[in-house]
């Protein structure tokens, strides 16, 4: 990825280098050389070195000119790519007049998995770069008239009363369709507060040029690069479409294990939809910081806590209707000059009331074009959903290519214990997921079944009042202090974090000041952890090295007993001071 060399070296100033002849003089004097000869020798040496330095400076200037030219060419390349993508999308719209044409395109775009993938039990374990060719053009298929009869562009949010239009899910049992949407309505805010100050821009290049290869969590960035949410609240964003888990529970109760895992797979993909256009970094929580989300309008109670500072680990637990969801995440991140790579470490666990347990891990996320071009994020890799019952699922997130008219594709299969593919999933992580019964991944076989696809999930509508942070309707509500809530929260809750609150209110100078103060305070965290600090609401399982919720938070909330929760956003308690 350009530039290949270190940015600190690339941007180093061009200074004249002084050379010393002292050692040469001493050596010549030991040999008895006269002073005039020594001075002549020193002059010759300085002259040769000066000529060499001039050549090096000339090469340096040529290098900088070349790099500048390459940057200009890259900018033009990015513009050309955007033009090609736009023209490709326009062609698709023009060609969309005929449904037959679209269906032919879908058939031509379908390709074949190897026969071994259909016959061998361990097919799901094979991962090669050749898997990329199994992605047919989802956009062509999703634009077909036969598909459009199964759903509209967005699914209305389960807690927004002003959404217009309802997805057509005529093929779903009405009793299932109502699951996850029959909770009481609670009025929540639709927009962030208007900013109190005008925001000042910051040069991203100047910030990252000296941080190539470093862990992102250890790099101090100004508040300009943050969004007004913490990593604890971002965990809850993954549960925006929790109605899918409600449906999965209901399908399982009715004895349909296949529909259960299909809905779980759609839920696992839906958590990525809110990341589209989200290029700002969430606040790194303080050690012991917590976040609660009591959302009766979604039928869930969620709680998360930062349980470790180095490595930075966030643990969460959520109770829904007939299911429990928990996990911990250690996010490893690095700058790579023009991109940031985020590798999640940790297992997510879903347990249903009937005892079935499903587990999976997240895929890699990268943010590109930090230096030139439009910033964008991509998710790629393989996600496996493994359970203790009949079915398992493999989802492949396709990595976006340089010029990709149809990015964000996700394809997957559901297999039984014998390795037989019983269902195929396809869609886009920022739009929707669908399924068809049987193996529909092969070219020339099974394509007819693609016309019998069914909608599993569609992304909710964007907010009417978009923010600079591109927050979803759901994300806008996460940091809201509803009437009477502040008095019930512990002093460790993310909503009470001052720098985050200042940023949300558009008070950027105060946000920066508070962020610096809290980061200085947080430097005590590692020493506190080394002295035996333990999380209040989670404990590490022996042997598994994962964190589990120990209970007691909601009971303490009912009683208003927060004696064990320090004021982590204020001054350092005297019993926590480190010498």
């Amino acid at each position: 990825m350009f530039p290949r060399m270190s940015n600190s070296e690339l941007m180093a100033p061009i200074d004249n280098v002084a050379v010393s002849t002292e050692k040469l003089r001493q050596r010549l004097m030991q040999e008895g050389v006269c002073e005039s000869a020594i001075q002549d020798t020193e002059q010759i040496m300085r002259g040769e070195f000066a000529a060499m330095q001039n050549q090096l400076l000339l090469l340096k200037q040529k290098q900088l000119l070349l790099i500048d030219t390459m940057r200009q060419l890259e900018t033009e390349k990015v513009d050309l790519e955007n033009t090609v993508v736009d023209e490709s999308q326009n062609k698709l719209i023009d060609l969309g007049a005929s449904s037959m044409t679209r269906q032919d395109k879908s058939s031509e775009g379908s390709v074949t998995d190897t026969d071994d993938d259909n016959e061998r039990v361990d097919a799901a374990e094979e991962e090669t770069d050749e898997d990329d060719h199994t992605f047919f053009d989802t956009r062509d298929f999703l634009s077909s008239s036969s598909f459009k009869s199964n759903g509209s562009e967005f699914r209305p949010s389960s807690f927004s009363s002003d959404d217009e239009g309802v997805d057509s899910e005529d093929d779903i049992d009405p009793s299932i369709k109502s699951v996850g949407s029959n909770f009481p309505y609670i009025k929540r805010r639709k927009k962030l507060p208007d900013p109190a100050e005008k925001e000042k821009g910051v040069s991203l290049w100047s910030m990252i040029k000296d941080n190539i290869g470093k862990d992102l969590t250890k790099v101090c960035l100004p508040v300009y690069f943050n969004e007004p949410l913490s990593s604890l609240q971002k965990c809850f964003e993954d549960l925006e479409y929790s109605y899918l888990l409600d449906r999965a529970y209901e399908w399982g109760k009715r004895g349909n294990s296949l529909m259960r895992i299909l809905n779980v797979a759609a839920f696992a993909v839906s958590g990525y939809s809110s990341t589209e256009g989200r290029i700002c970094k969430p606040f790194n929580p303080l050690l012991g910081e917590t976040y609660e989300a009591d959302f009766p309008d979604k039928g869930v109670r969620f709680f998360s806590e930062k349980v470790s500072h180095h490595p930075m680990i966030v643990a969460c637990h959520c109770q829904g209707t007939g299911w429990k969801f928990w996990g911990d995440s250690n996010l490893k991140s690095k700058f790579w000059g023009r991109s940031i790579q985020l590798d999640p470490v940790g297992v997510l666990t879903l347990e249903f009331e009937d005892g079935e347990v499903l587990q999976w891990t997240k895929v890699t996320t990268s943010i590109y074009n930090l230096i030139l071009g439009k910033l964008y994020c991509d998710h790629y890799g393989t996600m496996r959903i493994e359970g203790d019952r009949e079915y398992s699922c493999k989802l492949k997130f396709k990595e976006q290519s340089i010029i990709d008219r149809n990015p964000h594709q996700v394809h997957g299969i559901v297999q039984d214990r014998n390795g037989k593919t019983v269902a195929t999933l396809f869609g886009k992580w920022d739009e929707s997921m669908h399924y068809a019964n049987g193996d529909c991944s092969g070219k020339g076989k099974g394509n007819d079944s693609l016309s019998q696809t069914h909608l599993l999930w569609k992304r909710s509508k964007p907010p009417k009042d978009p923010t600079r942070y591109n927050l979803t309707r759901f994300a806008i509500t996460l940091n809201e202090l509803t009437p009477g809530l502040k008095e019930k929260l512990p002093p460790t809750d993310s909503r009470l974090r001052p720098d985050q609150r200042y940023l949300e209110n558009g008070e950027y100078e105060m946000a920066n000041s508070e962020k610096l103060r809290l980061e200085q305070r947080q430097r005590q965290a590692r020493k506190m952890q080394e002295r035996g600090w333990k999380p209040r609401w989670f404990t590490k399982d022996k042997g598994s090295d994962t964190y589990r919720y120990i209970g007691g938070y909601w009971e303490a909330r009912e009683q208003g007993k927060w004696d064990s929760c320090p004021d982590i956003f204020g001054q350092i308690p005297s019993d926590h001071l480190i010498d």
Side-chain angles (χ1 to χ4, degrees):
M1 214 177 279
F2 168 78
R4 301 286 182 179
M5 66 183 296
S6 166
N7 281 347
S8 57
E9 296 174 353
L10 178 65
M11 303 303 293
I14 303 174
D15 298 324
N16 290 329
V17 179
V19 60
S20 173
T21 61
E22 185 61 30
K23 291 183 179 180
L24 175 63
R25 168 177 284 276
Q26 292 177 0
R27 183 72 181 90
L28 293 176
M29 290 178 65
Q30 290 174 2
E31 294 295 329
V33 179
C34 65
E35 179 64 23
S36 61
I38 292 176
Q39 291 179 1
D40 289 343
T41 304
E42 288 178 329
Q43 188 63 31
I44 292 172
M45 177 180 172
R46 290 192 183 98
E48 292 295 325
F49 183 81
M52 183 181 68
Q53 187 178 37
N54 288 334
Q55 292 179 7
L56 289 175
L57 290 174
L58 181 61
L59 290 174
K60 180 76 172 181
Q61 292 171 357
K62 289 182 177 180
Q63 180 196 35
L64 293 176
L65 289 173
L66 178 60
I67 289 173
D68 189 55
T69 302
M70 292 178 67
R71 285 178 177 155
Q72 293 178 12
L73 291 173
E74 187 165 7
T75 301
E76 294 175 1
K77 178 179 72 71
V78 171
D79 293 338
L80 178 60
E81 291 171 1
N82 293 334
T83 301
V84 171
V85 172
D86 292 340
E87 289 180 354
S88 298
Q89 292 175 346
N90 291 334
K91 282 186 177 181
L92 286 173
I93 295 174
D94 294 338
L95 292 173
S98 171
S99 62
M100 287 299 294
T101 302
R102 286 190 290 263
Q103 290 172 0
D104 291 341
K105 280 179 173 284
S106 178
S107 298
E108 292 171 3
S110 301
V111 291
T112 306
D113 285 337
T114 62
D115 292 338
D116 291 341
D117 283 341
N118 297 326
E119 298 174 359
R120 288 169 43 188
V121 175
D122 62 345
E125 299 303 320
E126 296 181 358
E127 288 181 357
T128 65
D129 293 337
E130 295 176 357
D131 286 341
D132 289 340
H133 77 278
T134 62
F135 287 84
F136 59 87
D137 196 334
T138 307
R139 183 185 296 276
D140 286 349
F141 174 74
L142 298 187
S143 63
S144 68
S145 59
S146 60
F147 169 77
K148 282 190 174 181
S149 63
N150 288 333
S152 58
E153 185 177 0
F154 291 101
R155 182 188 191 275
S157 170
S158 60
F159 56 92
S160 297
S161 62
D162 57 350
D163 284 321
E164 299 174 0
V166 178
D167 284 339
S168 174
E169 296 177 331
D170 296 335
D171 56 337
I172 296 180
D173 187 318
S175 59
I176 290 290
K177 189 163 55 175
S178 64
V179 170
S181 60
N182 52 359
F183 296 111
Y185 170 74
I186 294 180
K187 184 178 181 180
R188 301 191 184 274
R189 67 182 182 183
K190 302 295 190 296
K191 62 188 292 291
L192 295 181
D194 294 328
E197 303 170 8
K198 184 177 180 180
E199 193 169 24
K200 298 179 180 179
V202 179
S203 171
L204 182 59
W205 171 257
S206 65
M207 290 300 305
I208 71 172
K209 65 184 178 65
D210 295 323
N211 294 306
I212 303 298
K214 292 184 180 180
D215 185 345
L216 179 60
T217 60
K218 298 179 183 178
V219 176
C220 295
L221 298 174
V223 75
Y224 175 83
F225 297 107
N226 287 97
E227 63 180 13
L229 292 174
S230 75
S231 296
L232 300 170
Q233 293 165 310
K234 291 279 286 185
C235 289
F236 185 48
E237 269 202 87
D238 286 353
L239 286 127
E240 176 176 359
Y241 302 96
S242 59
Y243 72 88
L244 292 167
L245 299 184
D246 298 336
R247 289 184 176 183
Y249 170 65
E250 185 65 26
W251 279 118
K253 281 176 58 178
R254 301 185 183 191
N256 195 329
S257 299
L258 176 58
M259 286 304 302
R260 168 173 283 188
I261 197 169
L262 285 170
N263 277 270
V264 171
F267 168 79
V269 173
S270 70
Y272 292 97
S273 63
S274 63
T275 65
E276 174 65 9
R278 298 277 286 279
I279 57 177
C280 291
K281 178 179 179 289
F283 281 87
N284 185 11
L286 304 186
L287 189 63
E289 185 174 336
T290 62
Y291 176 71
E292 71 159 60
D294 186 9
F295 274 51
D297 42 347
K298 296 178 70 67
V300 299
R301 266 189 167 185
F302 172 91
F303 179 75
S304 57
E305 179 181 13
K306 181 174 179 178
V307 296
S308 174
H309 186 60
H310 285 292
M312 204 282 274
I313 302 178
V314 169
C316 67
H317 181 273
C318 185
Q319 182 78 43
T321 306
W323 52 268
K324 291 186 295 184
F325 174 82
W326 69 88
D328 55 58
S329 175
N330 172 17
L331 192 64
K332 293 184 178 180
S333 54
K334 285 188 177 181
F335 281 117
W336 292 118
R338 287 186 54 214
S339 66
I340 298 175
Q341 180 176 322
L342 308 172
D343 295 308
V345 179
V347 178
L348 301 176
T349 302
L350 174 66
E351 181 179 357
F352 290 101
E353 207 171 69
D354 55 19
E356 182 173 5
V357 177
L358 294 165
Q359 292 184 317
W360 65 91
T361 57
K362 289 197 166 188
V363 297
T364 297
T365 296
S366 287
I367 301 175
Y368 298 99
N369 288 344
L370 295 178
I371 308 303
L372 292 170
K374 183 179 180 181
L375 280 170
Y376 71 94
C377 74
D378 192 26
H379 310 287
Y380 52 90
T382 300
M383 176 188 291
R384 287 189 173 85
I385 303 175
E386 305 285 352
D388 56 358
R389 298 290 174 90
E390 185 176 358
Y391 297 110
S392 63
C393 178
K394 183 177 81 167
L395 295 166
K396 185 68 179 290
F397 289 65
K398 181 184 179 184
E399 185 172 4
Q400 186 172 344
S401 61
I402 295 177
I403 300 179
D404 196 340
R405 66 170 183 162
N406 189 19
H408 308 163
Q409 292 192 70
V410 181
H411 287 190
I413 56 173
V414 175
Q415 293 180 317
D416 61 19
R417 290 179 176 176
N418 298 321
K420 179 183 178 182
T421 298
V422 295
T424 303
L425 297 105
F426 60 95
K428 303 177 73 173
W429 52 258
D430 63 332
E431 287 186 3
S432 60
M433 285 299 294
H434 314 82
Y435 79 95
N437 291 317
D439 184 0
C440 307
S441 59
K443 177 190 282 188
K445 58 178 180 179
N447 282 334
D448 290 341
S449 60
L450 282 176
S451 60
Q452 301 299 319
T453 57
H454 308 279
L455 173 68
L456 285 169
W457 158 79
K458 277 196 174 242
R459 182 183 179 184
S460 297
K461 291 182 179 181
K464 293 182 177 179
D465 298 299
T467 67
R468 175 177 83 81
Y469 314 102
N470 286 319
L471 300 181
T472 63
R473 293 186 180 215
F474 182 58
I476 287 174
T477 69
L478 299 186
N479 202 47
E480 181 183 12
L481 278 170
T482 54
L485 177 60
K486 185 175 181 179
E487 293 72 21
K488 299 179 181 179
L489 295 175
T492 54
D493 195 276
S494 294
R495 295 180 182 87
L496 306 179
R497 178 167 175 159
D499 53 352
Q500 185 173 305
R501 183 61 59 184
Y502 280 128
L503 177 61
E504 179 180 283
N505 293 333
E507 300 176 70
Y508 305 111
E509 293 297 329
M510 286 298 298
N512 267 316
S513 176
E514 283 296 299
K515 187 172 187 288
L516 178 60
R517 179 183 70 84
L518 292 177
E519 284 177 349
Q520 292 174 341
R521 187 187 191 286
Q522 185 69 351
R523 292 172 185 170
Q524 300 285 333
R526 174 176 286 185
K527 294 181 179 179
M528 290 171 55
Q529 200 167 331
E530 291 172 350
R531 289 178 55 185
W533 180 92
K534 301 293 183 183
R536 173 65 181 85
W537 309 105
F538 290 83
T539 186
K540 185 181 289 188
D541 272 352
K542 295 180 180 179
S544 66
D545 207 35
T546 60
Y547 286 87
R548 292 290 299 271
Y549 176 59
I550 60 177
Y553 176 83
W554 298 105
E555 292 76 8
R557 186 181 190 273
E558 287 293 326
Q559 301 172 13
K561 291 185 177 181
W562 303 122
D563 300 339
S564 60
C565 299
D567 181 13
I568 62 173
F569 305 127
Q571 300 301 317
I572 303 176
S574 58
D575 59 333
H576 285 182
L577 287 174
I578 310 297
D579 296 332

